[in-house]
Amino acid sequence: MYKGFWLLSSLFLSFVSSADELHTNAFGDVFNGSTPFSVGHVDTSTEGRLWCNAFGDIFVEGSPFAVGRLEGATTEGVLYMDAFGDVYVTGSPFKVDAKSVLNLKD
């Protein structure tokens, strides 16, 4: 029982550690990690990481104004995108539907 738990938790940690933070530039373009190509767009003029509060509101780090809202998000943390394009909130193993909120490209 415990071996299975440790195996699953280590797999999850290695999976999440390979994901990159989502952040914006001053024009509202959303980037995944250090990639030079935009993956989406939000309406903001603030640069910084994207994070979600416990109510699902998405903010750019350093700005008091929300740029969107995620339905069903209950965890507070930075938004991450994995190699498959799925978005997660730090500390949660469940992906969130941020495609329309962040205007993510296909």
Side-chain angles (χ1 to χ4, degrees):
M1 175 74 177
Y2 292 113
K3 289 180 184 178
F5 172 75
W6 289 112
L7 176 65
L8 285 176
S9 62
S10 65
L11 285 174
F12 174 72
L13 287 175
S14 65
F15 174 71
V16 171
S17 65
S18 67
D20 292 323
E21 292 181 350
L22 293 176
H23 63 279
T24 64
N25 63 8
F27 303 107
D29 297 320
V30 177
F31 295 94
N32 181 18
S34 61
T35 181
F37 304 106
S38 170
V39 295
H41 185 80
V42 293
D43 293 328
T44 187
S45 61
T46 306
E47 294 183 24
R49 297 184 304 174
L50 291 170
W51 64 277
C52 178
N53 67 11
F55 304 107
D57 298 318
I58 299 174
F59 296 90
V60 177
E61 190 174 52
S63 174
F65 304 108
V67 296
R69 181 165 167 70
L70 296 173
E71 294 297 323
T74 58
T75 305
E76 183 173 321
V78 177
L79 295 179
Y80 286 87
M81 181 181 281
D82 66 6
F84 303 106
D86 295 325
V87 177
Y88 296 85
V89 178
T90 305
S92 176
F94 306 108
K95 58 185 168 183
V96 294
D97 184 17
K99 185 174 180 117
S100 62
V101 175
L102 301 177
N103 299 307
L104 297 177
K105 300 175 183 177
D106 288 329

